[in-house]
Structures are given as C-alpha cells and as structure tokens.
Amino acid sequence: MTASYDLIVIGTGPGGYVCAIRAAQLGLKVAVVEKRGTHGGTCLNVGCIPSKALLHASHAYDEAKHAFGAMGIDASPVLDLPKMQAFKREGVKGNVEGVAYLLKKNKVQTYFGTGRIVKSGQVAVTSPGGETETLEAKSIVIATGSDVTRLPGIEIDEKRVVSSTGALELASVPRKLLVIGAGVIGLELGSVWRRLGADVLVVEYLDRILPGIDKEVARAFQRLLDKQGIAFRLASKVTGVTGPETPGKPLSVQIEPAAGGATETVEADVVLVAVGRVPYTDGLGLAEAGVALDAKKRILTDGHFQTSASGIFAIGDVIAGPMLAHKAEDEGVAVAEIIAGQAGHVNYDVIPNVIYTSPEVASVGKSEEELKAAGIAYNVGKFPFTANGRAKSIRMTDGFVKILADAATDRVLGVHIIGANAGELIAEACVLMEFGGSAEDLARTCHAHPTLSESVKEAALAVGKRAIHF
Ligand code: FAD
Ligand code: NAI
C-alpha cells in the first residue's frame, strides 16, 4: 500500500527539518526525504557547524599563542590537527543526532534516499540500495538547499583544489593557501588556516571585500585582516590552476587584473574556491512537475512559498534571498503554518548576517549605501570599542557599532557591528527593529555594566549626538 502523508519535505537542512517539526506540532502527518546519510543539511554537516567548531578551536590556539602572555599566562600551544578535526566531528555528530532525535520525537517519518517529484501529490524515493518507493502527500515542500559555484576550467578535487567542504577537512596545514573570493566562506576559512599557520592570499574579483556589507565596515574589517597577515589581491581574477595532478609539487595559480592585463603566476599548496553557492535542484523532476525556475536557477515562489505547481512549496537556499540557515529556518516555520491554514510570515527586513571571524562582523537591515541608493535621509550614530570599559579591560578594542536611523522618524533602519561577540550583540538590534523601535528607544534602555553591549546603547545615544563615553 502507498504511504500517504499530509506533508512530505524533501531535504532535512535547517529549512526542511524545522518545517517538518513545525508541521508535526500543528497536527500534520509528516515525512521527510533526505539523500545524505544524516539530517541537518549543508549547515550541520559541512557548513555552519563544522566551520564554527574550527573557527573556535583555531581562535583558542591563536589566543594561547598571542594573547595569553599579556594576561600573565605562559602557554606554548602545540597544534594537534587530527584532534582539532575530531573536536569538529564530535560537534557535528552531536548536532545531527540531535535533529534525528527531534524528528523522531515529533513523529516525523524519515526516508533516507533521493526524492524526485513525480507530480503534485507524489514523491518517488530511491534508496541508496536503488529501490524506488512512491509516496503520496497533500503538500510537498522542496528544501534541497544549495551547492558550490564552480569556476570554468578549475576542477575541484577536494584535496588540493577545494570547496568549503574540502577546506574543512584538510589533514595538514597548507604552507600557502590561495582563496578565490573574499566573501564569507573565504574570510572565515581563510582565518582558520591563517591562525593555524598558513600564508593566506585572497583573490577577489571586485575592488572590495564582502560585497553587500556596509562599505565602511568592510574597509575597517579588511584593515584588521591585513594586520592578522591575510593578504588581498582585489580587482583580480584567477584564470587557471595547474598542477593538482602532480603530488608533492606546489600548484601554479594564474591571476589577472579583473579588467584584463598581464598574468601573474603564484604558487599555492591548496586553492579554496569560494565564489558563492547555487540552488540545488538536480534530479528533482521539476520541469516535469511544472515547477518554474528564475534566471539564476532558483525556484520561483510567490509571497507564500507556493511554486508554479499546485501543492508544491519551496524554502531556504533553493529560493531567492540570503543563503543563511536562520532564513531557511524561519521560512520552514512560515510555510508549515501556511500549509496548516495559519498565516506564516517572514520579515525579510530583519535578517541578521554574521561573519564569525575575529573580530566578528554582524549586521541587520540597511547599509549606508542602500539607504543612499533608496534616497532615504538618515542619521548615523557610531561608537568605538576603544571607548568601552569592558572591551578596554579585556583588550578587545577592535571595531565599532554603527546605527543608522531614519532622519524623520528616528526608526532604526540598520545596525552594523564589527568587534568581539558582534554576532551575539546584533540580536538586540533585531528585536528592536522587529518592533519598529527607534534609536531613542535603544538609547533609553538600561544596559548592564561592564558589557560590550553598552557600545550598542552608546551608538544609539550618538545618533542624537549625546554619547557619554566618546
Ligand atoms: P541545506 O542545508 O543545503 O539542506 C538541503 C538538504 O537537502 C541536504 O541535506 C541535501 O542532502 C538534501 N537534498 C538535496 N536534494 C535532495 C533530493 N533530491 N532528495 C533528498 N534530499 C535532497 N549559514 C548561516 O546562517 N550561518 C553560518 O554560519 C553559515 N556557515 C556556513 C558555512 C559554510 C562552509 C557553508 C557552505 C554554508 C554556511 N551557511 C551558513 C549557509 C547555510 O549552510 C545554508 O544557508 C543552509 O544550510 C540552507 O539550508 P537549507 O535547508 O535551505 O538547505
Ligand atoms: P559570497 O557570495 O559570500 O562571496 C563570494 C565572493 O566571491 C564575492 O566577494 C564575489 O565578488 C567573489 N567572486 C565571485 N566570482 C569570483 C571570481 N571569479 N574570482 C574572484 N572572486 C570572485 O559566497 P561564499 O563565500 O562562497 O559563501 C556562499 C554563501 O554561504 C554566502 O553567501 C552565505 O550566504 C553562506 N555562508 C554564510 C556564512 C555565515 O553566515 N557566517 C558562512 C559561510 C557561508
């Protein structure tokens, strides 16, 4: 007999597993289909979680090497990379097992295998052993995520020419790491290997790092990364990598100015290709099912995650919007609520963005460039961590908080933080903005002393030109 469900979710990354749990909470009979052997998707298996484990461990190593001495702690750390990798794997295991437990607890049925949509209401699942079973569902949610963008002529072997997946698995510290792309992956994983001893050169096509982030913040960040020994070649492109087939010899990487010009060749032991990600829809049977894509191969959806085929929805990296785990999760909750007859909604104006380097970079809302382009008049309040008591006492004074507020209404439109714990500090800005709060609201909120968060309050005071400590 064909198994039948209210909802089948294809893919159990942060979008898919959260959607399945929320739908089950709302009383739907739910199944998930996952082709990887574990739940959690890119994020838990080869993305957010393993990268944060290595960022944390490499930061601790770097601190022990460079910061402990000043605190009167004599430490001469010795790197045990296999153990650090085991630490990372343990964190991944705990997380993916946690998701399996949650799905079971919520009585979500798992099918491990590759899902293909036969038509609205039918999903065929092919198990790793090759048997195919067809399932029925009133609704289908596609949450198949994204894959690495490849560069023509540069083949990724995940050993010496790697994507983020291979860069998380290196068995030894490369002497020279060349990173293509000064985006989030390039800077996070470049930081990991730099801290562990690699010479890191980042080649970026544009004339700035981190397109999309407030320019002033990106510039300040690049200066700090420079100080950490990460070298940049901006407005440049890699046109070829030769030598991966010859073990033991360095790779030759050809670099050209983005606008064209003389080719320069540099050596590298490992090349990391980090030029973005593309939606993953291979083998899903979308054309046959009548699910339309846009020009960037993202699944087209309306404001309620409905695709062009009735009863088929899509969320997460496979649709438009920032490719972030928390965006996928919020969409998972919203689409489950919509399918259950409620009014699910995601506020795309308040999706934080965090880069987990040292210092961290975090932002929410509009950048100055975006406000200028939209013709919105704004006031700026800035506060440097050099003027924050806690930051001074623990020598974490790099960076600043910048708040952009509507000139007419004082409503906060964007918050940008570069500094220690920026990823945690941004949360209060998200809550404020979700409630449509003003800089004045933030400035009048009591913040504990001594905390780094006082800098957020002071930046809000600075919008009204009345910061106390600067
Ligand atoms: P995914 O997590 O990609 O999950 C999709 C799942 O669908 C996969 O498990 C896949 O196996 C499965 N699947 C695909 N096709 C089929 C099929 N036909 N049948 C069955 N199953 C299928 N985001 C953050 O917010 N914070 C971070 O710190 C962060 N760090 C990252 C670090 C790295 C190195 C990378 C690569 C990404 C990082 N991201 C981070 C991005 C984040 O991982 C993604 O935005 C997030 O995983 C998207 O969730 P998703 O559910 O849409 O898709
Ligand atoms: P990205 O989009 O962040 O950055 C790619 C960079 O590569 C850009 O600066 C782009 O200009 C540059 N580029 C593109 N083509 C190039 C070329 N031919 N030569 C040189 N440079 C080129 O993409 P990235 O870093 O690969 O990450 C993919 C996505 O994964 C991110 O956009 C983000 O959504 C997600 N992610 C999020 C993290 C977080 O939230 N902390 C961490 C890691 C990934």
Side-chain angles (χ1 to χ4, degrees), residues 10-17 33-36 38-49 51-52 113-116 143-146 164-165 168 184-185 188-189 277 280-284 315-318 322-329 354 356:
I10 307 178
T12 56
Y17 86 74
V33 183
E34 173 54 59
K35 70 175 188 170
R36 198 189 295 267
T38 52
H39 292 301
T42 303
C43 180
L44 274 62
N45 291 280
V46 292
C48 329
I49 296 299
S51 60
K52 266 77 254 180
T114 303
R116 184 175 54 83
T144 49
S146 61
S164 53
T165 304
L168 289 165
V184 196
I185 291 179
E188 284 190 353
L189 296 182
R277 293 181 62 84
Y280 185 77
T281 55
D282 285 4
L284 265 179
I315 56 168
D317 279 11
V318 81
M323 286 182 164
L324 296 171
H326 41 282
K327 176 259 193 188
E329 288 186 45
V354 179
Y356 297 84

Side-chain angles (χ1 to χ4, degrees), residues 127-210:
S127 71
E131 300 98 56
T132 299
E133 176 179 5
T134 302
L135 312 174
E136 287 182 350
K138 291 184 195 136
S139 303
I140 297 168
V141 169
I142 303 169
T144 49
S146 61
D147 193 11
V148 175
T149 299
R150 281 147 219 281
L151 286 171
I154 300 178
E155 202 180 315
I156 293 174
D157 62 14
E158 297 297 13
K159 296 263 179 296
R160 301 182 72 200
V161 182
V162 297
S163 71
S164 53
T165 304
L168 289 165
E169 288 294 327
L170 298 180
S172 60
V173 179
R175 214 167 35 89
K176 289 188 177 178
L177 171 68
L178 186 136
V179 179
I180 313 178
V184 196
I185 291 179
L187 300 183
E188 284 190 353
L189 296 182
S191 291
V192 165
W193 294 108
R194 172 69 203 128
R195 291 168 190 167
L196 299 181
D199 274 349
V200 177
L201 171 65
V202 182
V203 180
E204 165 60 46
Y205 190 80
L206 300 175
D207 62 0
R208 56 162 294 179
I209 68 167
L210 290 175

